[in-house]
Amino acid sequence: DKIRSPKDHEELVNLIKNHKEVRCVGSMHSCAPLVKSDDIILDFAKMNKILDIDLENATATVQPGVKVYELCEEVKPYGYAVGTLGTIDWQGVIGAVMTGTHGGSLTTPSLHDFVESYTLIMGDGETRKVARQDEPELFSAMAPCMGVFGVVIECKIRLVKLQYLEAEMESMSFKEVIPRFRELMESNKYARVVVYPSLDMATVWKANPVENKGDAVDRGATDYASYTNFRNAEEKSLLEGFLIHQKNKEYEKGDTVLRQVVESQLNRLKHYEGAYNHVLCKERNHGIPHADIEFGMDYSRAEEILTSVREWYLTEGNRVPYYNFEIRTTKKDSAMMSCCYGRDTLYIDFQAKASETFPFFNTMEKLFEPYGYRKHWAKGMCHSNPENIIKQFPQIRKFIDYMTELDPEGKFRNEHIRLWYQKIKERLEERENLGTTTNNLGAKEQCFDDETSTTFASSTDVSVTDDSEELDLFDAVATKVLSDAMDSSLNLSRTD
């Protein structure tokens, strides 16, 4: 049994010092094989305390076992909330920070931007605190970093004032959404577009703070005292039916079912009010297991990006192998490896059943390469080509240097991360030897070679474009990752 559940600091330090490879497991929301380890996997169910709530400075300090919803409920009586939320809240707070969890607001950055300090255990067992004000460069590398520097045992995070939100949902054609997209994102505090490509339509969900609790109810909104799920049990059943129809190529039957789902959602979610976390976290129940891939791209190019997606799925013979895809936006930040580094970001999240990920995700990567995508780290550390990472993350050299400095023995790198680290490091050294800058790519280096591309399951994908020995290595690792992704003991398929 690889799983270890330390109950305190002393036991944790002993585990780290006495094992060669250490990875951590959170709530299993990530569909990338970040948890996999050839030695031990740390579970923090017994280190799940909220250590401090500082009302004067509006911060909370948590251990790694604390879930987002637990922190939300603990600070709610004091009139506070977690700074941003994804569509689920059963993730661990620290795990969500480490993998770059974001929300859906152009005025709100990703969760890591709310952190003030980290306390971590290094490979030699020593404790190190990294604070925003003391070590700004290292701090900017800390998250998202996928746990490659050490084990974070404490995190101090800023809180925000609790708000109640008025939420509304409407439907329109996706063609109509595209020219209005920026206005929809910029005129609402929170917004989310869900596209149903087989219907060429979308639902537009938006939410905005009310001045006083009950204001929206007075305007006719439904008062929801708890979570409002994006799909209920009946809608889930219908969507499972859609996937069966799609698999059998019964497309008209599937689209009839899909229209029922959209109509049901519009009836339930047309206009309602609720607490901040209850409204934003819409994916708590009734999910269907899937793998997904999420692309972060420059928000300023939104219209041309969305147009390219629509043109692709309207082309004869092209079909998205799932019932929808989701579009959100997030404010820029300055974290080294953030998908939002230096630019407001448009996120597009595609899903697929595990058996269909290879061809579809590969196709989407090709589609978005001209737009300089950055892929959400929780959905795989490897991109189509190491050159893409070097080009899209200007601070990648500093990040690789910190990996080497803080974990010289590679204790916190599993096979997946070692491959990523080695390939990026080699490419950087090749470029530096040739005097090539990270933004001066040759035509050959930018090329995506169909014959030598390999996509890992569950959004973990890499392409090699040169020698066959490297390709054999990538193929071998891909096979192992695929096997692990299908292993229910690792539970790597998402259900949100």
Side-chain angles (χ1 to χ4, degrees), residues 223-419:
D223 185 5
Y224 282 132
S226 187
Y227 291 94
T228 311
N229 284 299
F230 185 64
R231 68 186 67 81
N232 61 24
E234 181 181 357
E235 292 159 1
K236 175 184 177 180
S237 179
L238 288 169
L239 290 170
E240 289 173 330
F242 169 87
L243 293 174
I244 293 171
H245 287 310
Q246 174 135 305
K247 183 178 180 181
N248 295 332
K249 298 185 178 180
E250 299 168 338
Y251 298 133
E252 289 187 11
K253 289 182 180 179
D255 288 348
T256 297
V257 168
L258 202 53
R259 289 187 183 94
Q260 290 178 258
V261 173
V262 174
E263 182 178 351
S264 174
Q265 290 179 341
L266 289 170
N267 286 334
R268 288 191 304 110
L269 306 175
K270 183 177 181 180
H271 189 199
Y272 59 99
E273 180 186 321
Y276 167 82
N277 56 313
H278 292 164
V279 171
L280 294 182
C281 299
K282 302 178 291 300
E283 306 281 5
R284 288 183 61 86
N285 296 302
H286 313 305
I288 298 173
H290 64 266
D292 64 343
I293 187 170
E294 188 168 19
F295 299 93
M297 291 167 281
D298 190 339
Y299 170 73
S300 69
R301 303 184 69 181
E303 187 167 346
E304 59 182 305
I305 292 168
L306 300 183
T307 298
S308 72
V309 178
R310 183 171 183 268
E311 288 176 349
W312 180 86
Y313 73 65
L314 288 177
T315 301
E316 185 175 356
N318 291 342
R319 193 171 180 93
V320 175
Y322 212 63
Y323 46 83
N324 63 21
F325 59 87
E326 178 189 63
I327 308 167
R328 289 181 288 167
T329 56
T330 303
K331 184 179 178 181
K332 66 183 177 181
D333 63 55
S334 59
M336 275 188 195
M337 300 302 290
S338 171
C339 290
C340 301
Y341 176 85
R343 69 187 189 193
D344 291 337
T345 297
L346 164 75
Y347 279 105
I348 304 183
D349 188 295
F350 293 98
Q351 300 90 34
K353 302 296 283 186
S355 60
E356 298 170 311
T357 59
F358 280 85
F360 178 58
F361 288 176
N362 226 14
T363 298
M364 291 300 99
E365 290 202 28
K366 291 181 185 179
L367 181 66
F368 292 130
E369 270 193 347
Y371 303 108
Y373 71 80
R374 298 168 180 168
K375 194 170 66 177
H376 193 308
W377 295 110
K379 293 137 195 187
M381 284 190 69
C382 297
H383 288 224
S384 303
N385 187 324
E387 293 290 354
N388 289 351
I389 297 179
I390 293 171
K391 184 177 181 180
Q392 293 305 321
F393 292 92
Q395 302 295 315
I396 184 66
R397 163 48 80 187
K398 292 179 181 178
F399 185 81
I400 292 294
D401 287 346
Y402 276 126
M403 287 183 71
T404 306
E405 174 189 342
L406 299 177
D407 184 22
E409 297 180 0
K411 180 171 289 193
F412 302 108
R413 300 172 211 151
N414 62 15
E415 185 174 23
H416 177 56
I417 297 170
R418 281 195 300 274
L419 182 64

Side-chain angles (χ1 to χ4, degrees), residues 409-435:
E409 297 180 0
K411 180 171 289 193
F412 302 108
R413 300 172 211 151
N414 62 15
E415 185 174 23
H416 177 56
I417 297 170
R418 281 195 300 274
L419 182 64
W420 181 91
Y421 169 79
Q422 289 165 0
K423 294 306 301 179
I424 298 298
K425 192 169 184 287
E426 287 170 8
R427 296 294 194 205
L428 285 168
E429 290 171 353
E430 287 172 8
R431 295 175 140 291
E432 288 158 3
N433 289 337
L434 293 171

Side-chain angles (χ1 to χ4, degrees), residues 476-492:
V477 177
T479 301
K480 290 190 68 176
V481 172
L482 175 58
S483 174
D484 290 338
M486 300 304 179
D487 186 345
S488 59
S489 67
L490 283 180
N491 189 27
L492 288 179

Side-chain angles (χ1 to χ4, degrees), residues 175-190:
K175 182 179 180 180
E176 184 181 357
V177 169
I178 292 172
R180 294 185 55 195
F181 181 78
R182 293 188 64 162
E183 178 268 324
L184 289 166
M185 296 298 115
E186 292 168 20
S187 62
N188 294 285
K189 175 69 174 176
Y190 304 99

